[in-house]
Amino acid sequence: APAWLRRLCGRLLSERLLRPNGVQAVVRGVLEGTGGGAGAEAAALDWRKCDAIAKILASCPQQCLSLEDYYRQVCPQILDLLHIQDKVAARQFQRVATTTVLTMAREHPQLAERHLLQPLLSPLLRCSEAAELAVEDLAAGTMLVPEAELGSCVEDVLKVYVVGNDSSNLLLGSLQSVLGVVFSLYSFAKQNVSYLRSPCQEILLWFLEKAERERSLAVLEGLAGLGSTVPTLHPRCRVCAGSEGGAAIAVEDTISDEDEALYQKISSEQCHVQSLVELLSHCQKSGLAGDFFIHCLKELTQVAAEDEVAPNVAVEPGGSLLELEQDQAKQERKLLVLQLVAALCESVSDTVFTDIVQVQEFVAAVLQRACVSPARGPGAAAEAQTLAMAMGLVAALLGGAVQLQSSDFLVLKRLVPLLEELSHTYPEPLTQELASDLRIAICTHGACAPGTVGTAADGVLGRKPGVGTRSPAGIPSGDPSPGGSRAPPQHRHSNPSARGERSTEQSTGHEPSATGPTPAPCADSTAPAGLQELLVSAYDPQPPARAAALRHLASLVTQRDPEALRLQEKLLQVFLENVQHEDAFVYLSAIQGVSLLSSEYPERILPVLLARYECPAQGTEDTMATVTRMKLGEVLMRVTRALGDMVFQHREPLIRTFLRGARDPDGALRASSLSNLGELCQHLGFQLGSIVQEVTSCVTAIAQTDPKAEVRRAAVHVVVLLLRGLSEKVTEVLQDVLRDLYRLLKHVVMAERDGATVLHAQLALEELDTVMRRVLFPPQTLEKKIIVLP
């Protein structure tokens, strides 16, 4: 259309929009011609047309004096679009109204909140506890929010928030201010017959899903009565049934009878707790139910700690009224926490936990409570049962109930300090033994499963001992029966399979009679003490026993023991953890074991070692991490020597890792990386290829600019090893960088202050001189030549 026509249409449209009922007229004019049948359905689904109308309504026309005036005139009409009764056009108008509200909330949040969101939520805000003055002035029996208004408000909230599905901070914050009232309506609708139950549930679930996890937990805590983040229904307001199947909110008089008031309060709290548990049953897949359950358990642990510090502290008779109220509030909170945990344990199904992290947090909360307050007194049986359930859950995980990855074991290792403390402090001997065995099983990544762990797993999973799970292995027992001895291993292929297959076989298992001729790893096998006992001894607190176990495990790898090769990942984890030990005998034995295992399976083990070398384990100190990385560098060098010419296929990741190590902030690690780089280049020889450019640039920069003498010394030593490894091939491999290396060595000899570095440079120059003389002046040899003349 021409520009003048567009301007004229825009002016006429703006003038009509600012008149009474102008918004509805404009929307009807734009959507005209789509009435009835399939046309109306198509128009309702035409998002572009609805969004275009919403954009027009959200834009302030030039004829309007101010944006505030425009919003004051238009916003009530926009909210009226939500109440169109015409079924044919209702979906179109509701779509336009919802999109307009969301657009205005994005473009002008303050004006949208004042003129749109607050009027939209006003029936719910009117009966909130935040509106104390307005409610207190009303007489008992006054209908504060009629049934029609309340039902219309809930439906409008559902259309704008849930159907609009815009989770901005403005919308979430405005909705949070009325969630307490919505939850009261939901609780009332659950106990009675009302159509408000479904929309209230959808509103609550939408907020809990869209908000951040910490915010959702705080809201749940407020709905349960444990926090003040959510304004609840005013104490003088009550929800009553409506005549049309809805609900209304009326003002009631204060109950004078204390017993009746207490009964009403307890009944209301029980109803709210049941409704909250019902609501959480719909949040299990997202993990919110599990997180809130853990949050309640932590609250219970805090209550137990307070009772342990001051078990029966009573307020003195002469205390003030404030102290009495504070003590009463504490007691009410304790009772509410206990009631909530009991309801969650009873009603929420066993799928409340969706991942290993939630299981670990749940078990940690239970173990911490057991450490803070061991089971004593009247509630000792219940406490012991809860603790047994939590520890049995861990045992079931370790016994093959789910497929565990290496990252899962890293999460479970957070339980090791609590299990160790429990094994020393808990008064029950059987619980102490189970805690100690669980700690061993977690540290060995499930390779060692003592008898108590298998029994606990069977109890949780409902299995019979010896069926569907691995029997306890490797732990001496006085019971000679199959239930107390080591179960034979399952049939396996010679090629090691994936972790998933191993976990499946371990979890399914066989009867002892079904294993056939498969040899059992008993005491007379290649591992005299048994592989499982060796894995336990690898964590012995005495260094000699630990080193001996590591040496024995390394010998099993050398002998290619089938059971040891089947558990190669667990063996690698055991070796790597012992590499961090401070005793030289222990960590050297671990280094030998890792190198032997890596030389057998370089494709699987080398990427793990390189990743550990580049990124040390989290939670370790800088000094410890540097020392561990230097030990891993020694492992990589031993693997390089063992691979020989086969190291070529791992050339690029090795050199890239050592080059990154040469830029580490720690000087000792830089020197170690350069030394490893030099030895690797010496082994590669003619196979260096184009990587020699990167190596030369790195060595040149470090030798000239590094502030530490030992690092510069190591850089020059790389050149020495490079020249020695290439020998007469120097002119072929280093033809592009030989002149740069020669200039570097001359510069070091003339300008370097460190004597050892100068000595290394002189040795390199002598090596280069010898090689060049051999190339330029080859030794003369006497040859006998026979020439046949034509």
Side-chain angles (χ1 to χ4, degrees):
W4 66 268
L5 182 58
R6 292 200 302 269
R7 287 194 299 270
L8 179 60
C9 291
R11 187 171 68 251
L12 295 176
L13 189 64
S14 300
E15 292 177 356
R16 187 66 187 90
L17 187 63
L18 296 177
R19 292 179 184 177
N21 298 324
V23 172
Q24 189 173 146
V26 169
V27 175
R28 288 186 182 275
V30 176
L31 297 177
E32 187 177 5
T34 60
E41 185 72 14
L45 299 176
D46 189 0
W47 287 40
R48 291 185 178 181
K49 181 174 292 187
C50 294
D51 290 346
I53 300 174
K55 191 175 296 183
I56 293 173
L57 296 178
S59 302
C60 179
Q62 297 179 355
Q63 292 86 345
C64 195
L65 298 178
S66 66
L67 188 62
E68 180 84 21
D69 293 338
Y70 177 72
Y71 271 64
R72 189 179 297 110
Q73 295 180 38
V74 169
C75 288
Q77 300 183 49
I78 293 175
L79 295 178
D80 289 338
L81 295 179
L82 297 171
H83 307 144
I84 297 296
Q85 300 300 321
D86 185 4
K87 295 183 178 180
V88 177
R91 294 183 61 184
Q92 306 172 17
F93 281 84
Q94 290 173 10
R95 170 67 186 172
V96 171
T98 301
T99 308
T100 305
V101 171
L102 299 180
T103 304
M104 288 182 169
R106 284 193 300 267
E107 295 180 356
H108 303 285
Q110 295 180 352
L111 293 176
E113 182 179 12
R114 187 182 312 129
H115 297 285
L116 281 175
L117 299 182
Q118 288 184 1
L120 177 68
L121 303 173
S122 61
L124 300 175
L125 293 172
R126 196 184 311 157
C127 53
S128 172
E129 63 179 353
E132 182 177 355
L133 295 177
V135 176
E136 291 292 343
D137 296 339
L138 298 176
T142 304
M143 191 63 65
L144 189 61
V145 183
E147 178 186 4
E149 185 180 3
L150 185 61
S152 176
C153 176
V154 172
E155 291 179 356
D156 292 347
V157 172
L158 182 68
K159 296 171 186 175
V160 172
Y161 288 86
V162 181
V163 178
N165 198 22
D166 187 352
S167 56
S168 62
N169 290 330
L170 174 63
L171 293 174
L172 290 176
S174 61
L175 184 59
Q176 184 175 347
S177 62
V178 297
L179 280 182
V181 181
V182 175
F183 181 71
S184 297
L185 291 174
Y186 171 71
S187 181
F188 171 81
K190 265 188 57 61
Q191 304 297 324
N192 300 275
V193 179
S194 175
Y195 68 86
L196 292 178
R197 176 182 178 181
S198 179
C200 289
Q201 177 179 306
E202 291 186 27
I203 292 170
L204 292 169
L205 291 177
W206 180 84
F207 180 90
L208 296 176
E209 178 186 355
K210 296 300 180 180
E212 297 179 356
R213 185 54 54 92
E214 294 297 329
R215 191 173 188 176
S216 298
L217 291 176
V219 167
L220 287 174
E221 188 178 16
L223 296 179
L226 298 175
S228 58
T229 56
V230 178
T232 59
L233 188 68
H234 194 276
R236 286 198 57 192
C237 293
R238 64 179 178 88
V239 184
C240 54
S243 59
E244 301 294 333
I249 298 179
V251 179
E252 66 176 359
D253 200 0
T254 306
I255 301 176
S256 57
D257 188 359
E258 294 182 359
D259 294 338
E260 181 66 21
L262 181 60
Y263 173 77
Q264 292 290 343
K265 182 177 182 181
I266 293 176
S267 300
S268 176
E269 288 180 354
Q270 290 179 349
C271 180
H272 277 65
V273 168
Q274 293 175 2
S275 302
L276 186 63
V277 172
E278 173 69 20
L279 189 67
L280 286 173
S281 64
H282 301 280
C283 303
Q284 296 187 23
K285 292 184 179 180
S286 63
L288 180 61
D291 288 343
F292 185 67
F293 190 22
I294 295 167
H295 181 75
C296 293
L297 285 175
K298 292 179 179 178
E299 286 284 337
L300 195 60
T301 303
Q302 185 178 357
V303 169
E306 293 175 356
D307 290 342
E308 186 73 15
V309 175
N312 292 313
V313 178
V315 179
E316 299 180 359
S320 63
L321 182 60
L322 179 60
E323 293 177 351
L324 289 172
E325 291 180 353
Q326 291 177 351
D327 181 69
Q328 183 180 0
K330 289 182 180 179
Q331 296 300 326
E332 289 179 358
R333 182 180 179 85
K334 292 178 183 179
L335 292 175
L336 187 57
V337 170
L338 290 172
Q339 182 182 5
L340 191 58
V341 171
L344 289 172
C345 291
E346 181 181 358
S347 303
V348 180
S349 65
D350 54 356
T351 57
V352 61
F353 300 120
T354 57
D355 55 15
I356 296 296
V357 176
Q358 286 186 329
V359 174
Q360 179 268 326
E361 291 182 355
F362 163 70
V363 177
V366 175
L367 295 180
Q368 187 176 3
R369 182 155 58 95
C371 294
V372 171
S373 177
R376 290 192 296 266
E383 293 285 344
Q385 188 176 4
T386 305
L387 180 61
M389 179 191 68
M391 299 177 74
L393 184 59
V394 180
L397 292 176
L398 297 173
V402 296
Q403 180 179 341
L404 296 179
Q405 307 292 335
S406 299
S407 58
D408 299 332
F409 281 103
L410 293 178
V411 174
L412 290 177
K413 280 188 178 180
R414 302 172 190 169
L415 301 174
V416 171
L418 292 172
L419 290 171
E420 185 173 3
E421 182 181 354
L422 200 66
S423 64
H424 296 313
T425 60
Y426 201 78
E428 179 64 29
L430 294 178
T431 304
Q432 289 185 4
E433 181 182 0
L434 179 58
S436 177
D437 292 345
L438 285 176
R439 182 179 64 85
I440 294 172
I442 292 174
C443 290
T444 59
H445 285 209
C448 176
T452 54
V453 176
T455 304
D458 293 338
V460 171
L461 298 178
R463 302 179 301 200
K464 296 181 179 180
V467 180
T469 181
R470 289 184 298 171
S471 298
I475 299 298
S477 173
D479 186 6
S481 64
S485 61
R486 183 183 304 110
Q490 290 77 25
H491 292 285
R492 308 231 6 122
H493 299 287
S494 58
N495 185 22
S497 61
R499 177 185 295 269
E501 296 178 1
R502 286 201 302 272
S503 301
T504 304
E505 292 183 8
Q506 291 173 1
S507 62
T508 54
H510 301 282
E511 289 289 332
S513 60
T515 55
T518 307
C522 55
D524 57 351
S525 64
T526 55
L531 181 59
Q532 310 298 342
E533 294 186 26
L534 288 176
L535 291 171
V536 176
S537 301
Y539 292 93
D540 196 285
Q542 299 298 327
R546 179 179 291 206
L550 293 174
R551 294 278 180 177
H552 205 157
L553 290 173
S555 66
L556 292 179
V557 175
T558 306
Q559 298 168 13
R560 302 186 65 82
D561 180 77
E563 188 70 15
L565 297 182
R566 184 176 67 86
L567 300 175
Q568 56 179 283
E569 294 187 8
K570 293 186 174 65
L571 291 180
L572 175 64
Q573 189 67 25
V574 170
F575 287 139
L576 289 178
E577 290 182 357
N578 281 279
V579 163
Q580 304 177 15
H581 200 275
E582 57 183 6
D583 187 84
F585 192 29
V586 173
Y587 73 71
L588 287 176
S589 302
I591 286 175
Q592 180 186 8
V594 178
S595 59
L596 289 174
L597 197 61
S598 303
S599 60
E600 292 289 338
Y601 303 99
E603 290 82 5
R604 299 183 182 180
I605 310 299
L606 266 181
V608 178
L609 296 178
L610 293 174
R612 290 287 187 94
Y613 187 82
E614 293 184 14
C615 302
Q618 298 292 331
T620 56
E621 298 179 356
D622 294 341
T623 305
M624 181 66 69
T626 301
V627 173
T628 303
R629 292 174 70 184
M630 287 192 288
K631 294 174 183 177
L632 290 176
E634 173 63 23
V635 173
L636 293 174
M637 283 301 97
R638 292 194 182 193
V639 175
T640 300
R641 300 188 196 105
L643 289 176
D645 293 338
M646 296 297 295
V647 77
F648 172 72
Q649 59 181 339
H650 308 289
R651 173 191 65 173
E652 294 186 3
L654 283 168
I655 290 183
R656 182 169 60 248
T657 301
F658 290 139
L659 287 176
R660 290 177 180 173
R663 300 175 57 187
D664 195 84
D666 189 274
L669 186 61
R670 293 201 303 273
S672 176
S673 300
L674 288 171
S675 177
N676 297 334
L677 179 63
E679 188 169 351
L680 178 61
C681 292
Q682 186 178 13
H683 281 87
L684 286 174
F686 193 74
Q687 297 173 336
L688 268 174
S690 59
I691 299 181
V692 70
Q693 298 280 355
E694 301 179 25
V695 175
T696 304
S697 301
C698 175
V699 168
T700 303
I702 292 177
Q704 292 179 350
T705 61
D706 199 283
K708 290 188 176 292
E710 61 269 18
V711 181
R712 299 195 301 272
R713 192 182 309 160
V716 178
H717 184 60
V718 172
V719 181
V720 178
L721 295 177
L722 188 61
L723 296 176
R724 287 179 183 174
L726 292 174
S727 187
E728 296 181 358
K729 304 174 185 177
V730 166
T731 55
E732 300 179 34
V733 179
L734 304 180
Q735 57 181 349
D736 297 330
V737 299
L738 191 58
R739 183 179 61 179
D740 298 334
L741 291 177
Y742 175 75
R743 290 178 177 177
L744 171 65
L745 296 174
K746 295 295 290 184
H747 170 77
V748 171
V749 170
M750 297 176 59
E752 180 59 50
R753 297 185 299 273
D754 181 62
T757 307
V758 174
L759 178 60
H760 280 294
Q762 289 175 347
L763 291 175
L765 286 173
E766 291 178 3
E767 190 74 27
L768 184 60
D769 180 71
T770 303
V771 171
M772 294 307 299
R773 285 180 182 275
R774 197 178 299 133
V775 172
L776 295 176
F777 308 105
Q780 297 181 359
T781 57
L782 296 176
E783 298 178 356
K784 180 185 292 186
K785 292 184 179 181
I786 299 177
I787 301 176
V788 179
L789 296 175

